[in-house]
Amino acid sequence: MITRVRIHNFRLFGDFEIEPRAGLNVLVGDNEAGKSTVLQALTLVLTGRSDGRPATDELTPDWFHRPAVNQFFDDYTTADPQPLPTIGIEVFLDDADDKLQKHRGVHNTLGEDCPGLRLTIEPSEDYADEIRGYLDAENCPRAVPVEYYDVHWRNFADEPLSRRPAGLGHVLIDSRTIRSQRGVDYHTRQLLHDFIEPAERAAISVAHRRARHEISTTYLNKANERIAEHDELVEGRVVEIDFDQSGTSSWHGSIIPRIDQVPFALAGQGVQAATKIALAMSRSAEQTSFVLVEEPENHLSHARLMRLVASIEALAGERQSFLTTHSSFVLNRLGIDRLRLLGPSGTVAKLTDLPADTVRYFQKLSGFDTLRLVLAERLVLVEGPSDELVFERFFRDRYGRGPHEAGVDVVSLRGVALRRSLELCAALDRPVIALRDNDGKDPDHWIEPLRPLLVDGRRQVEIGDPTDGATLEPQLVRTNGEGPLRGALSLDAHDDVAEWMSNNKTEAALRILVAPVTLSPPPYIHRALDLLG
Amino acid sequence: MNEVTWAVAGSGKTQSIADLCASLTPSAARRTLALTYTQTGQRELVERLQRQAPSGPAPMVMGWYSFLLTHFVRPYIPRLLPGRRLRGFDFHGDPGRYAKGAARYIDSEGRAYRLHLAKLANQVSAACGGAPVDRLSRMYDDIFIDEVQDLVGWDLEVLDQLLDSPIDVRMVGDVRQSLLETNPRDPKNKQYKGLALLDWFRVREDRDLVKVSHKSETRRANQAIASFADGIFDATLGFPPSVSSNDDETGHDGVFAVAPEFIDAYLEAYKPQCLRSSKASGKELDLPFRNFGEVKGLTFRRVLIYPTGTIVDFLRTGAPMVGKSACGFYVGTTRAQSSVALVMDERQEAQVPLARWCPS
């Protein structure tokens, strides 16, 4: 099991560290928070490869963390130039497994004595002069000269690795379009190969060679006879057409999965993803210790996604898995306690002390947009759509722009318990302001049970004074007076304003949102707006 | 349980390691590492193991130096020398007598000197609280060591750590064949070099760390040669008499003295392998000699030995030989299956049982 991943100067990460849990880890974060980077880094350090090709072949200047590269070039012309940036990716493995002891040692950035693997990308000592020449040249591009870099893939015992270490197999289920011209990507091909027994492989190889030979001798003969008529050009040597017998032409490259008689590459993206997961599931945990799944929600219908998520859970039962997602549904179903939130600049937050019944609560309410709670820069929780619209109106009045433009996400809970939502926010230590109706009770009646989850100025609940009314609508009437509100709502003189609003909550809120008259927020909303200043 | 078997020359030591590996590995799924000191020993062991288990998982075979580098120095060197990596092995280099600190162990290119490798291994191990042996004990259930008599100095400190671990260490060797040079720069365990290694093991036997046994049946030398070879050493060393299972009769069997003037006739008649202690002996003869040190582990039908002065003294007085010269002569003698011929002047009387050979 991977106990820790450390990434240095790779893509979005200057320095990144995550301590994954056993089983499933759901990686969540805004775009550009580095979700895919974590999966790519894991693939690199577990296999020495990226997209199925050796890291050395795939290495580009883009792999280097941009700010580190800029810093290097800024410093280079000063009196105090710093060494060229290097990339480091490490996985620390738990010490329990005897089979991994050969990878044990202290060659890691923490100097810890445990098994692990390490991939470093460093300037080659052999090219010191060339590197200096590159950097000192006029118009040197502000990019790392990767041509003079070496990729070192070793374990913590400092033993160089040349192929995937036994017992650390992984499978990557990505959601990207099939890139390979061969119709199937490297990882899928690996999966297929493991289904074929060694004895069958030998038989296939022999039959394949025989077939090629037969084609050469029967069908290419005519062509070869024609070539022979012109052999004066090669001075008596025999030139013939033959099938490629080299290693690259072996049958390995020619097998692809087929789904319902349709070649894999032509199947829908959703089917491709589901197929890969099915193939990965059938492998033993010995062959596949880690499963990496990238955004399974892509290209899938909801019904198929439900089935897929169930498979992923089963798959993760015995294997440590890393899954990235943008989907609240996926997160809720897999369990929000498994969430790892990638924040800006490589921070990782995890849920601590989330009650098990709250995890189950969100699993059942899998349609709730949990990720909005998790990802919001600043969060305001309200009870329903009318509260949302009214809050937006007063926010705009106060700050001159809408909450979204100011990075404030107003989420209406629509029946989801405020306590559960606050538990999630508290577990992630998210800042949040919640608004609720007093429903005729003293605010303390509602706030007291929530007290352990609240932090003054950071996580607060604002509730209106019961003497001003039990819900939003009477509160608005109380603050603004019936007359101005009647005007704002374009009501007739005989309408009871508070009653009409309570009967037409959403319509009332919509009218308030756009009413071109001056209105004041009730005091509890006013206090909430103050906190967002 | 740890065991050392002192096995007489020709008893099939390496084969017995291979047999042990074969008997343990498949059935009990034991994880086995086999170690041997010399390159030739390593190759031979690998071949035998492959013959034994052509398809199954053969145990890992390693040389002693690789063992120290791979399992002691490389994973943990930063704990002793912060920031250092092991970048290779310097077999011939010498840090000089006065090198201090890291420079004593690691050359300018980051390679470990062979000269102080075993000491470095111990220092690294001490610097990380014995982690290397803990790691090894998680990787292997059994470690076999072939040619254990070749371990000297700080090697024995490494061996002590292994004996004290949960790993079952089984060793085979013959101190009577200790020919390797000890490190002149390294006084560690000097008192146990050569035949005195017996004492080192005796101390551990008393502490219940290792069981010592003897294997005295030879399949190579016939009884006359085996008994003659036994006589080279002092009986107080405690070796049981060798017993030969080779009773081939060739018409010229046993140990013979051959006068210098008859050497040509003897070579003509029996075509023996000519052996000597070093190139310093038998200089006046233009014969295809090989040195004792080069023929360890080899078998010849017949040998002819050009004796050193020390060997001649033994032949004349019958007083047991000591030290390296005894070991060399023992190795030379025990290469032969049927006959050993010793170049000896007509005038020299032998106290040991020798037949004089003359051309008929």
Side-chain angles (χ1 to χ4, degrees):
Chain A
M1 175 188 140
I2 296 172
T3 56
R4 187 193 298 274
V5 182
R6 281 168 74 88
I7 301 176
H8 177 65
N9 276 350
F10 183 60
R11 298 214 150 174
L12 286 162
F13 299 129
D15 281 292
F16 173 85
E17 180 172 310
I18 185 170
E19 292 177 38
R21 39 170 283 154
L24 189 57
N25 292 270
V26 180
L27 304 180
V28 159
D30 256 330
N31 293 331
E32 303 305 305
K35 298 189 295 291
S36 320
T37 307
V38 174
L39 298 192
Q40 190 191 6
L42 277 170
T43 306
L44 268 171
V45 73
L46 290 171
T47 64
R49 287 167 173 261
S50 178
D51 281 346
R53 282 153 50 85
T56 324
D57 298 352
E58 291 281 291
L59 177 62
T60 75
D62 302 334
W63 282 16
F64 290 80
H65 186 53
R66 199 10 88 181
V69 175
N70 287 339
Q71 187 65 49
F72 167 78
F73 282 101
D74 289 346
D75 291 344
Y76 190 69
T77 47
T78 67
D80 185 26
Q82 299 295 309
L84 272 163
T86 59
I87 290 173
I89 304 169
E90 297 166 287
V91 280
F92 293 67
L93 301 163
D94 87 70
D95 195 47
D97 189 353
D98 279 358
K99 287 204 183 69
L100 299 178
Q101 288 293 307
K102 81 188 289 281
H103 305 298
R104 173 177 156 191
V106 297
H107 292 270
N108 55 68
T109 48
L110 296 177
E112 204 175 288
D113 180 13
C114 66
L117 308 181
R118 182 180 196 185
L119 183 117
T120 53
I121 304 176
E122 306 169 329
S124 168
E125 287 167 15
D126 300 337
Y127 286 121
D129 293 341
E130 284 85 348
I131 291 172
R132 210 166 302 118
Y134 171 93
L135 294 172
D136 292 339
E138 261 183 71
N139 301 326
C140 164
R142 281 168 78 90
V144 168
V146 291
E147 297 75 12
Y148 305 127
Y149 268 64
D150 290 332
V151 177
H152 300 289
W153 186 35
R154 303 193 183 95
N155 58 25
F156 286 180
D158 205 24
E159 177 191 21
L161 302 169
S162 51
R163 57 186 162 154
R164 197 191 71 194
L168 294 176
H170 93 308
V171 57
L172 171 69
I173 295 155
D174 60 15
S175 58
R176 285 173 293 175
T177 325
I178 295 302
R179 303 152 305 259
S180 163
Q181 296 181 338
R182 293 273 182 100
V184 61
D185 63 292
Y186 168 81
H187 299 288
T188 311
R189 176 154 293 138
Q190 281 302 109
L191 289 172
L192 292 178
H193 275 262
D194 290 331
F195 276 97
I196 305 172
E197 301 286 330
E200 292 165 346
R201 279 180 221 175
I204 295 171
S205 184
V206 169
H208 190 246
R209 179 166 301 123
R210 196 174 294 140
R212 280 181 303 178
H213 177 73
E214 197 183 319
I215 296 169
S216 297
T217 49
T218 12
Y219 300 99
L220 293 176
N221 264 352
K222 292 237 161 60
N224 284 330
E225 280 163 22
R226 281 196 295 279
I227 292 172
E229 289 167 20
H230 303 287
D231 66 356
E232 69 274 10
L233 290 174
V234 287
E235 292 167 6
R237 286 165 221 250
V238 180
V239 177
E240 288 178 326
I241 302 173
D242 190 14
F243 263 85
D244 186 358
Q245 307 284 346
S246 62
T248 51
S249 70
S250 70
W251 58 276
H252 298 95
S254 312
I255 56 167
I256 56 162
R258 202 172 59 170
I259 301 149
D260 287 345
Q261 315 275 319
V262 177
F264 187 72
L266 299 181
Q269 302 274 322
V271 180
Q272 286 191 1
T275 307
K276 287 192 203 177
I277 296 203
L279 288 172
M281 277 189 69
S282 56
R283 306 219 314 177
S284 65
E286 181 79 8
Q287 287 168 309
T288 307
S289 314
F290 309 111
V291 180
L292 314 182
V293 186
E294 190 177 30
E295 294 174 11
E297 65 271 19
N298 287 5
H299 321 293
L300 288 181
S301 67
H302 190 73
R304 204 185 279 279
L305 182 60
M306 298 255 285
R307 286 211 297 279
L308 190 65
V309 167
S311 323
I312 290 170
E313 255 198 306
L315 186 60
E318 43 191 318
R319 302 165 176 91
Q320 197 178 22
S321 309
F322 297 82
L323 177 143
T324 68
T325 187
H326 279 128
S327 155
S328 292
F329 169 77
V330 172
L331 173 62
N332 291 342
R333 282 301 302 265
L334 293 176
I336 51 175
D337 55 330
R338 289 157 161 172
L339 172 141
R340 285 290 185 286
L341 176 64
L342 307 193
S345 60
T347 55
V348 185
K350 61 178 176 183
L351 289 168
T352 44
D353 308 325
L354 193 65
D357 62 332
T358 299
V359 175
R360 281 196 297 275
Y361 181 84
F362 285 109
Q363 255 160 350
K364 290 195 186 102
L365 289 175
S366 52
F368 180 66
D369 204 348
T370 326
L371 278 182
R372 279 178 72 187
L373 268 53
V374 167
L375 294 177
E377 220 174 293
R378 284 190 294 174
L379 182 66
V380 175
L381 297 177
V382 298
E383 287 187 278
S386 54
D387 306 86
E388 191 181 330
L389 295 168
V390 168
F391 183 85
E392 186 178 338
R393 151 85 203 225
F394 290 122
F395 188 95
R396 199 177 284 277
D397 287 352
R398 174 77 171 268
Y399 294 109
R401 51 182 179 163
H404 276 296
E405 297 154 73
V408 175
D409 197 8
V410 184
V411 175
S412 98
L413 292 174
R414 295 165 198 259
V416 170
L418 177 61
R419 180 172 65 85
R420 305 287 187 183
S421 303
L422 286 175
E423 274 170 356
L424 175 57
C425 292
L428 284 166
D429 194 27
R430 305 289 299 170
V432 57
I433 294 158
L435 300 176
R436 69 155 295 159
D437 291 337
N438 60 51
D439 292 341
K441 296 208 165 73
D442 186 81
D444 276 344
H445 169 81
W446 304 111
I447 292 179
E448 211 44 54
L450 302 173
R451 191 73 70 197
L453 304 169
L454 304 177
V455 179
D456 263 356
R458 182 167 175 81
R459 250 188 325 277
Q460 242 170 277
V461 182
E462 293 297 342
I463 299 176
D465 189 332
T467 57
D468 293 340
T471 60
L472 172 66
E473 290 75 18
Q475 292 263 344
L476 279 167
V477 175
R478 177 80 178 195
T479 309
N480 291 284
E482 282 213 12
L485 214 47
R486 191 186 305 275
L489 295 166
S490 319
L491 294 184
D492 294 337
H494 59 81
D495 285 325
D496 179 292
V497 178
E499 195 188 318
W500 185 88
M501 284 176 75
S502 296
N503 291 337
N504 303 276
K505 285 187 174 201
T506 312
E507 182 57 30
L510 278 167
R511 291 186 190 179
I512 288 171
L513 180 66
V514 295
V517 298
T518 309
L519 291 172
S520 299
Y524 74 105
I525 296 184
H526 191 94
R527 291 196 299 274
L529 290 170
D530 284 346
L531 288 166
L532 291 167
Chain B
M1 179 61 193
N2 302 318
E3 279 176 33
V4 63
T5 305
W6 297 124
V8 67
S11 62
K13 281 189 288 292
T14 310
Q15 187 57 41
S16 70
I17 290 258
D19 291 345
L20 263 174
C21 290
S23 68
L24 287 177
T25 312
S27 57
R30 308 270 294 180
R31 299 162 302 171
T32 304
L33 176 65
L35 300 174
T36 178
Y37 209 85
T38 55
Q39 293 272 331
T40 31
Q42 220 171 304
R43 271 194 300 275
E44 192 180 342
L45 192 54
V46 170
E47 276 167 28
R48 282 181 202 240
L49 287 171
Q50 277 167 353
R51 239 176 291 152
Q52 210 110 38
S55 58
M60 182 81 189
V61 178
M62 260 187 158
W64 180 254
Y65 295 134
S66 312
F67 173 67
L68 297 181
L69 291 165
T70 310
H71 293 299
F72 285 77
V73 179
R74 198 185 59 200
Y76 292 103
I77 192 170
R79 285 285 165 89
L80 178 70
L81 306 170
R84 297 303 286 257
R85 288 187 50 216
L86 178 70
R87 288 170 174 275
F89 185 40
D90 189 340
F91 193 87
H92 298 289
D94 183 341
R97 191 172 295 271
Y98 304 107
K100 287 270 179 297
R104 189 170 168 76
Y105 303 112
I106 304 285
D107 72 11
S108 57
E109 285 167 37
R111 301 175 304 175
Y113 290 112
R114 177 183 55 103
L115 208 54
H116 296 302
L117 175 58
K119 184 168 183 186
L120 174 61
N122 278 285
Q123 305 279 49
V124 167
S125 177
C128 54
V133 172
D134 176 58
R135 179 176 175 272
L136 274 168
S137 67
R138 303 274 305 274
M139 295 174 74
Y140 297 107
D141 304 302
D142 300 288
I143 292 184
F144 295 128
I145 306 177
D146 196 10
E147 310 279 8
V148 68
Q149 77 279 355
D150 292 339
L151 302 187
V152 291
W154 285 93
D155 295 332
L156 295 177
E157 302 296 303
V158 173
L159 188 55
D160 251 342
Q161 288 192 53
L162 294 176
L163 293 181
D164 214 15
S165 78
I167 305 170
D168 283 352
V169 185
R170 291 186 177 78
M171 296 154 283
V172 176
D174 185 1
V175 287
R176 289 175 292 191
Q177 298 186 60
S178 358
L179 289 186
L180 289 192
E181 283 294 341
T182 48
N183 184 350
R185 216 57 81 58
D186 192 351
K188 189 76 183 175
N189 289 321
K190 197 169 67 182
Q191 68 276 30
Y192 294 120
K193 81 181 188 197
L195 295 165
L197 188 62
L198 292 172
D199 299 332
W200 190 90
F201 276 102
R202 222 165 266 145
V203 172
R204 270 111 199 122
E205 186 181 30
D206 291 344
R207 300 211 312 250
D208 246 356
L209 278 170
V210 64
K211 190 169 145 260
V212 179
S213 65
H214 289 272
K215 195 173 170 199
S216 48
E217 190 195 89
T218 173
R219 285 179 261 172
R220 190 191 291 134
N222 60 29
Q223 190 61 55
I225 297 172
S227 302
F228 174 86
D230 285 349
I232 296 171
F233 295 95
D234 197 321
T236 58
L237 288 174
F239 287 102
S242 303
V243 178
S244 172
S245 59
N246 170 10
D247 40 20
D248 286 358
E249 288 186 16
T250 66
H252 179 70
D253 304 298
V255 185
F256 301 89
V258 177
E261 57 269 34
F262 299 142
I263 287 176
D264 286 344
Y266 188 83
L267 292 180
E268 174 85 29
Y270 297 112
K271 305 193 169 45
Q273 172 64 49
C274 301
L275 300 176
R276 62 183 174 190
S277 167
S278 71
K279 65 180 180 200
S281 352
K283 271 189 292 206
E284 66 278 18
L285 300 171
D286 183 23
L287 293 176
F289 281 121
R290 295 176 75 176
N291 298 343
F292 296 149
E294 298 165 30
V295 294
K296 249 180 100 175
L298 301 182
T299 298
F300 304 106
R301 162 89 32 207
R302 306 177 188 288
V303 302
L304 176 137
I305 294 173
Y306 192 94
T308 57
T310 332
I311 296 173
V312 172
D313 288 346
F314 161 70
L315 297 173
R316 285 176 47 208
T317 64
M321 294 173 66
V322 292
K324 259 193 83 177
S325 39
C327 295
F329 187 43
Y330 179 80
V331 168
T333 311
T334 52
R335 294 312 94 199
Q337 292 170 306
S338 298
S339 69
V340 174
L342 298 154
V343 178
M344 229 182 142
D345 219 285
E346 290 280 7
R347 291 156 302 182
Q348 288 168 331
E349 279 291 320
Q351 277 300 314
V352 294
L354 280 180
R356 179 70 61 188
W357 183 84
C358 300
S360 48

